[in-house]
Amino acid sequence: MKISYNWLKDYINTELSAEQVADILTDIGLEVEGLETIETVKGGLKGVVIGKVVEVKGHPNADRLRKTKVDVGHAELLDIVCGAPNVAEGQKVLVALVGTTLYIDGQEIKIKKSKIRGEISEGMLCAEDELGLGNSHDGIMVLDKKAEVGREAASYFKLEEDQVFEIGLTPNRIDAASHYGVARDLAAFLNMQEDVELKKPSLGSFNVDSNDLPIEVKVEDKKACPRYSALSFTDVKVGESPKWLKNRLESIGLKSINNVVDITNFILHEIGQPLHAFDADKIVGKKVIVKSLKEGSKFTTLDEVERKLEGEELMICNEKEGMCIAGVFGGIGSGVTEKTTSVFLESAYFNPVSIRKTAKLHGLNTDASFRYERGADPNITIFALKRAASLFKEVCGAKVASEIVDIYPDPIEDHLVELNYEQVDRLIGKNLHRSTIKDILTNLEIKVLNETKKGLRLQVPAYRVDVTREVDLIEEILRIYGLNNVPMPKNLRLSLGGSSDRTHLKAEEKIANYLASRSFREILNNSLSNPDLFEDRSTLVNILNPLSKELEVMRQSMMFGGLSAIAWNLNRKRGNLRLFEFGKVYKRTKGGEYQEEKRLAIWLCGNREEESWRSEEEGFDLFDIKQLVLEILESLGVNRVKTKKLEEHAFTQAIKMVKGSMLMANCGQISSKTLKKFDIEEEVFYAELSWDSILAHLPSEDIQFKPISKFPSVRRDLALLLDTAVTFESIKQLSKETETKYLKGVNLFDVYEGKNLAEGKKSYGVSFTFQDKEKTLTDKQVDKIMERLIDTFKGKLGAELR
C-alpha cells in the first residue's frame, strides 16, 4: 500500500522527516518496506531558471541557428545558441544552466558549455517537452512577461517533490488502509510526547441544492448489503482534474481519468471508503435495486470482458439489467463519460464474505474489493458522501440534487470490551501509568465509557474489526507505547522438552546434502494447486475459501510445482536443471477421510553435463532418474527393492519400485501432453519417493561395514536371445532366486536389436559376479551355478544362448 508523505501531512502537522516517520510507522505495526522519492517532473527542474532574452542575432555559420544573450540574474549575460524558430528579444524563457541534467525521451542529457558551429553556448533555451512539462516541440516555452528573472522554474510552476511510503499492510489492519487511517496511528504515537492535532477531512457546508434527481433504492439482499447510502448530482461538468488532485493520485501510482472518477479514488485513499459513480441518465426507471441475478446471466465489466455470473454475486441493478458487480467492479454501460451531466453516487457497506467470494470467483482484485473483503467502516458511508459532495461542487461545479438515501435496517454496533489494568501490566511486562493507557486508547478513537480501580469499560469503533477482545486492546496499547520501551527481564523462564528422536530428520538431512553434492538445487512450492491438473477430481482436497481458481485444492502430486519452476527457469534461458523438494501431498479417500503423506520429488531436465569442449552434449534419460532413486534408497539402507513397469497417464514411460507390498517410488519420463500444459518443450524426468514408506523401512540399527573379502571374485558372461518383452529386471530377480549364496552381482553390459535377429527378439549381454568370502571358488563350482542359471532362463524366460 502506498502512502504519500505530503498527503499525510494534510491531516497531521509534523516537522519530522519522511525517514523518521517511516521508522515510527514500522515500530507501531505499519511496516514500511520502502521509501521512494516522487517528482512531478523527473529531475524536478533542478538547474532550470527563468531568463530574459536580451539580444538575438543570426548565427554566422548556420542559417537555422540564432545567437542569443540571456539575462538569468547573474552578473554577466549568457551566450546561448538556439535553434527555435520563435525565439525573440524581450521574451521570458526557461534556461537550463550548465551542469543541469534534462530527461528527454528517456535519456539523460547533461548541459555543458560547448561550441555549436564555432560559437560558444553556455546553456539551453528549453521547449516544454524537453522539460517534461508537455508534448509540444514547436519552439521554446515563452512565459508571462511578469515572470521574475533568475527564479527557479520549480518554484515558478509550484512543482511538488513527495516521498511515498510502501507499507506492508497486514490483513487485519484494514483500518489503516488510507491516509487518514495512517495519520490516526501516527498521531496516537506522537501524542505520547507532544500535543498533535489530527485533522479530519473538511466537509464544507453540506446542503441539498434541489430534489430534481430523486432515485429510488431497494435492497433485496440485506445480508450481503447491510447498508446502502447514495446521493444524486446534477450540472456535473466532467473534465480534467485540477493539478492538486492529479498530483495526489499520481503520487501513489494512480492515473488520472476524469474529475468525477478521480474524486471517488481520492476519497477511497483518503478515508478508506469505496465510492462508485453511475451516470444517472443510464439508470433505467430511475430505480436502483441491490440483488443477485440468475445463474448464467452475462455481464460486461469496465475492462470490456463479458463475464458469466454464477448467481451468487451481489449486483447493483436498474429496472432492466445489472449495472455493477457490487463492491468489486463496475459495468461498461453505466459508467461516467465525458458526456455525463448527472451522477448517482454510491457509498455502501457490503458483507466481506460475499465480496471476497465474488472477487475470487471472477479473478478480480480491485482497490474497492480489497477494502470491502477485509471489513470497511460501516458507519462512514454518510461522511464519505458529504466529503464527495464538497469536492463535486468545488471540482465539477455540480449541484446536490437529492436528499441522502440511507438504507441501514440493522445498524452495526461498536464493540464493548472490558479491560483489566492488572492484565495489561502482566502481558506487557511493565506497569504503565493509567493515564497513559487512557490517552493511547482515546487517540485511537476508542471511547472510555467507565473507569474503576480495576480497569476500563471501552467502546471500540466498528471499523476496528481486529479489536474485539481484551488481549486485542492490550496489543493496541503496546504497539503505540512501543515494544522498545519495555525493558528485558533479568531472568527468562523456559520450559525444556525432552529429547526427541531425530532419526527421520537426520535421514532427510542426509539425502538433501547428498543431492546438493550432486548439483541439485532444493525448491519449495505451494501446497495449493490447480484442480485442472489432476485427472481424478473425486479424491482432491478442496479449500473452503480459495485464493483463486488456480489455487483451490491441495496438491495430490508434487510434479506440477516443479514443472512450473522448470518452465520459469527455461523461459529465462536457464537449462540443465536438477531440482528436488521435500513436501507433503493430500488426498481424500472414498470414505471421506483425509490422508497426508510426505514425499521427496526429483526433477531432471536438460543435459548431464554443462556445455564444454571436453564432452559432447548428452541428455538425461530414464536410467539416470532410476539410478538416482536406487542410490538414495541404498544410502538409507533400504535394500532388496523390486522394480516393475508402471502405466501412468502423466508419463511416457515409467517404473515403480516396491518393497514387499509397499510402494517406495515412482519415476519416469513425463509425457509431452503434461509438459504442454506448462509450455515445456524439453524432456523432463521425474521421481516421487514415498518418504513415509522409506522411513518405515529404515534399518533399526546403524549400518555397519563389512571387510572386503580376501578371496577373488569370478565373472562369467552370457549372451542371451530373448523376447523383446523380457526385462533385465526379471533376469536379475531370477538370478538372485536361483543362486542365493555366491551370486554378488548381475549387470547388463550390452543390448542389441536389429539385423540378423528374428522379429520380436533381442540380445542381452549379461555378466554375473560370484564370490565366496571363506575360500576361492573353483571353475567346477562356478560352471554348475551357470548351468542352473541357464536352465532357469530357458525354462522361465524362453531364452536361447547365442
Side-chain angles (χ1 to χ4, degrees):
M1 180 185 73
K2 293 183 183 295
I3 293 294
S4 158
Y5 182 47
N6 288 346
W7 193 347
L8 190 67
K9 289 195 289 185
D10 287 345
Y11 316 109
I12 183 170
N13 186 21
T14 177
E15 298 301 322
L16 295 173
S17 68
E19 289 76 12
Q20 290 173 310
V21 170
D23 290 340
I24 293 171
L25 292 178
T26 299
D27 287 343
I28 62 177
L30 301 177
E31 183 180 1
V32 176
E33 299 174 339
L35 183 59
E36 180 185 5
T37 298
I38 301 293
E39 296 170 323
T40 309
V41 174
K42 190 170 183 181
L45 298 185
K46 293 175 183 175
V48 180
V49 299
I50 297 173
K52 180 180 180 180
V53 180
V54 176
E55 182 181 287
V56 178
K57 290 184 178 180
H59 193 292
N61 304 316
D63 294 338
R64 294 187 179 182
L65 298 179
R66 300 286 186 274
K67 288 175 57 181
T68 69
K69 287 188 178 293
V70 183
D71 178 11
V72 293
H74 294 178
E76 298 181 359
L77 300 179
L78 299 181
D79 291 313
I80 298 177
V81 176
C82 178
N86 65 328
V87 64
E89 291 181 4
Q91 290 175 336
K92 297 290 181 69
V93 295
L94 293 171
V95 183
L97 302 177
V98 172
T100 300
T101 300
L102 299 180
Y103 300 87
I104 304 174
D105 295 330
Q107 295 183 338
E108 290 187 12
I109 298 176
K110 191 167 185 177
I111 305 301
K112 300 177 181 179
K113 183 177 180 179
S114 60
K115 281 189 176 182
I116 300 177
R117 293 291 187 95
E119 297 295 325
I120 292 291
S121 184
E122 300 174 293
M124 176 178 172
L125 306 186
C126 302
E128 65 177 42
D129 65 328
E130 293 166 336
L131 297 173
L133 295 172
N135 300 316
S136 174
H137 194 70
D138 295 336
I140 58 174
M141 283 190 75
V142 180
L143 306 180
D144 189 277
K145 291 183 179 181
K146 295 179 181 179
E148 180 185 348
V149 171
R151 184 179 179 183
E152 292 182 350
S155 170
Y156 179 80
F157 288 105
K158 298 180 180 178
L159 296 186
E160 280 191 3
E161 182 177 285
D162 198 359
Q163 289 176 291
V164 176
F165 307 103
E166 183 68 46
I167 295 179
L169 194 68
T170 53
N172 63 310
R173 289 303 313 280
I174 196 62
D175 63 288
S178 65
H179 284 76
Y180 183 77
V182 172
R184 178 172 49 223
D185 270 17
L186 181 60
F189 177 85
L190 295 178
N191 272 310
M192 298 280 294
Q193 292 88 32
E194 57 181 321
D195 288 334
V196 175
E197 181 187 359
L198 178 64
K199 294 176 283 188
K200 275 199 168 185
S202 172
L203 299 182
S205 55
F206 175 80
N207 63 287
V208 177
D209 297 307
S210 72
N211 281 299
D212 294 341
L213 191 58
I215 293 179
E216 182 185 351
V217 176
K218 182 180 180 182
V219 178
E220 292 187 1
D221 191 342
K222 293 181 175 60
K223 182 179 179 182
C225 179
R227 187 175 192 180
Y228 193 92
S229 307
L231 191 60
S232 299
F233 298 89
T234 56
D235 297 342
V236 178
K237 295 178 180 63
V238 179
E240 188 176 356
S241 293
K243 194 170 184 179
W244 71 266
L245 182 53
K246 281 185 176 181
N247 287 345
R248 286 289 181 257
L249 296 179
E250 288 171 0
S251 68
I252 58 173
L254 293 181
K255 184 180 179 181
S256 175
I257 298 173
N258 60 53
N259 50 4
V260 172
V261 176
D262 288 354
I263 287 171
T264 63
N265 284 332
F266 176 82
I267 291 174
L268 170 70
H269 291 277
E270 180 183 47
I271 60 175
Q273 173 60 27
L275 302 175
H276 190 80
F278 298 89
D279 187 327
D281 292 333
K282 297 176 182 177
I283 300 176
V284 178
K286 292 293 181 283
K287 186 175 183 179
V288 169
I289 308 168
V290 184
K291 63 178 181 177
S292 298
L293 295 179
K294 291 181 180 179
E295 181 181 356
S297 299
K298 293 182 179 179
F299 180 72
T300 303
T301 45
L302 280 171
D303 55 0
E304 299 183 355
V305 175
E306 185 178 80
R307 303 177 188 276
K308 188 176 180 181
L309 302 180
E310 299 291 328
E312 297 180 4
E313 304 91 338
L314 185 67
M315 301 291 295
I316 309 300
C317 309
N318 55 41
E319 286 191 334
K320 182 181 177 182
E321 59 191 356
M323 299 187 294
C324 172
I325 302 177
V328 180
F329 213 14
I332 197 168
S334 62
V336 172
T337 68
E338 66 277 0
K339 297 179 181 180
T340 298
T341 58
S342 57
V343 168
F344 175 79
L345 189 64
E346 166 193 286
S347 176
Y349 172 76
F350 298 114
N351 185 293
V353 175
S354 173
I355 298 300
R356 178 175 174 78
K357 285 184 177 179
T358 299
K360 301 310 174 188
L361 185 65
H362 293 283
L364 295 170
N365 183 21
T366 61
D367 284 334
S369 67
F370 176 84
R371 285 157 178 80
Y372 277 132
E373 65 189 35
R374 286 163 175 78
D377 184 355
N379 298 318
I380 202 176
T381 59
I382 301 298
F383 182 90
L385 285 177
K386 291 182 177 180
R387 175 63 170 152
S390 173
L391 293 175
F392 264 62
K393 288 185 174 185
E394 175 188 342
V395 175
C396 308
K399 293 180 180 179
V400 178
S402 74
E403 298 289 344
I404 291 177
V405 176
D406 187 27
I407 301 176
Y408 198 14
D410 299 306
I412 297 172
E413 302 294 341
D414 293 342
H415 318 301
L416 299 179
V417 185
E418 302 283 345
L419 180 69
N420 184 281
Y421 285 139
E422 289 184 2
Q423 185 74 339
V424 174
D425 296 339
R426 187 182 71 82
L427 290 182
I428 290 180
K430 181 179 180 180
N431 294 340
L432 300 186
H433 197 281
R434 301 327 182 202
S435 63
T436 299
I437 294 174
K438 288 186 288 183
D439 287 344
I440 290 174
L441 294 173
T442 302
N443 288 326
L444 290 174
E445 298 184 352
I446 297 172
K447 295 180 181 178
V448 178
L449 299 179
N450 186 37
E451 181 180 10
T452 65
K453 290 183 178 180
K454 291 186 176 181
L456 301 170
R457 179 174 173 78
L458 301 164
Q459 181 178 337
V460 183
Y463 64 78
R464 289 308 305 268
V465 293
D466 60 322
V467 181
T468 57
R469 305 167 299 167
E470 180 183 46
V471 70
D472 299 327
L473 285 167
I474 297 172
E475 182 184 353
E476 290 297 293
I477 295 167
L478 178 57
R479 71 179 182 85
I480 298 300
Y481 180 75
L483 286 166
N484 296 333
N485 294 323
V486 178
M488 286 289 291
K490 293 181 179 180
N491 299 319
L492 293 178
R493 297 175 183 177
L494 299 175
S495 297
L496 300 176
S499 61
S500 58
D501 184 6
R502 296 185 74 252
T503 304
H504 293 177
L505 183 59
K506 285 182 178 179
E508 186 173 323
E509 290 175 347
K510 178 179 181 179
I511 298 306
N513 290 333
Y514 169 72
L515 290 171
S517 72
R518 294 280 301 270
S519 300
F520 280 80
R521 294 184 180 275
E522 186 170 10
I523 61 175
L524 183 64
N525 288 300
N526 198 335
S527 296
L528 303 178
S529 190
N530 189 335
D532 295 337
L533 296 172
F534 301 95
E535 292 288 321
D536 184 7
R537 295 198 177 196
S538 64
T539 57
L540 292 176
V541 178
N542 294 290
I543 303 298
L544 291 177
N545 292 306
L547 294 172
S548 67
K549 285 188 175 181
E550 290 72 31
L551 297 172
E552 64 179 17
V553 298
M554 303 295 286
R555 63 184 177 190
Q556 273 193 354
S557 168
M558 298 176 66
M559 177 191 293
F560 306 116
L563 290 180
S564 295
I566 288 172
W568 195 92
N569 280 273
L570 291 178
N571 289 337
R572 287 153 183 81
K573 308 301 180 184
R574 294 176 59 88
N576 302 338
L577 300 168
R578 305 177 186 213
L579 308 174
F580 76 96
E581 178 185 9
F582 284 97
K584 292 186 177 182
V585 295
Y586 309 85
K587 186 178 181 180
R588 184 162 58 93
T589 65
K590 292 182 179 179
E593 296 180 352
Y594 294 97
Q595 294 179 347
E596 180 179 324
E597 299 177 13
K598 189 161 189 177
R599 302 281 175 86
L600 166 61
I602 301 171
W603 296 264
L604 293 174
C605 177
N607 298 321
R608 292 191 181 99
E609 304 289 341
E610 294 295 332
E611 185 178 12
S612 171
W613 61 272
R614 299 178 60 189
S615 60
E616 295 183 2
E617 290 188 0
E618 190 174 4
F620 292 112
D621 59 28
L622 177 62
F623 300 102
D624 290 314
I625 196 77
K626 173 188 173 184
Q627 184 62 30
L628 183 64
V629 173
L630 290 174
E631 288 173 2
I632 290 172
L633 294 175
E634 185 177 345
S635 69
L636 293 172
V638 181
N639 301 312
R640 298 180 183 177
V641 176
K642 292 184 179 181
T643 303
K644 298 181 180 180
K645 189 174 181 180
L646 174 66
E647 297 292 339
E648 172 63 47
H649 71 275
F651 293 101
T652 300
Q653 50 180 338
I655 55 176
K656 62 180 179 180
M657 299 176 188
V658 297
K659 186 174 178 65
S661 60
M662 193 169 288
L663 177 68
M664 295 287 111
N666 290 334
C667 62
Q669 180 181 353
I670 298 177
S671 68
S672 57
K673 182 181 178 182
T674 302
L675 295 177
K676 191 176 181 180
K677 296 177 181 178
F678 298 86
D679 295 324
I680 298 174
E681 297 181 357
E682 296 193 27
E683 292 183 343
V684 179
F685 297 89
Y686 174 70
E688 189 164 303
L689 289 76
S690 179
W691 195 248
D692 291 335
S693 300
I694 292 171
L695 294 178
H697 283 83
L698 291 180
S700 56
E701 299 178 358
D702 292 337
I703 299 174
Q704 299 179 352
F705 77 93
K706 294 180 181 179
I708 297 174
S709 175
K710 62 183 179 180
F711 300 102
S713 61
V714 179
R715 169 174 165 162
R716 294 290 174 87
D717 296 344
L718 287 179
L720 300 173
L721 186 64
L722 301 156
D723 292 337
T724 54
V726 177
T727 63
F728 170 67
E729 185 64 25
S730 60
I731 295 173
K732 189 175 180 180
Q733 291 298 328
L734 278 174
S735 300
K736 291 181 177 180
E737 292 171 2
T738 303
E739 175 53 47
T740 58
K741 186 174 181 181
Y742 299 124
L743 181 63
K744 300 300 179 185
V746 184
N747 181 52
L748 178 65
F749 64 85
D750 183 53
V751 179
Y752 176 73
E753 291 181 84
K755 191 176 179 181
N756 299 325
L757 291 184
E759 187 176 348
K761 295 289 185 178
K762 63 182 176 183
S763 175
Y764 272 180
V766 184
S767 67
F768 301 87
T769 303
F770 306 98
Q771 190 177 44
D772 188 338
K773 60 183 179 180
E774 296 179 354
K775 63 181 184 296
T776 300
L777 290 173
T778 64
D779 287 342
K780 189 174 182 180
Q781 286 176 298
V782 176
D783 289 341
K784 286 184 178 180
I785 296 172
M786 290 302 296
E787 287 176 4
R788 290 205 315 274
L789 289 173
I790 292 169
D791 290 340
T792 300
F793 297 152
K794 286 181 177 180
K796 295 189 176 182
L797 300 178
E800 299 177 28
L801 293 181
R802 294 188 68 196

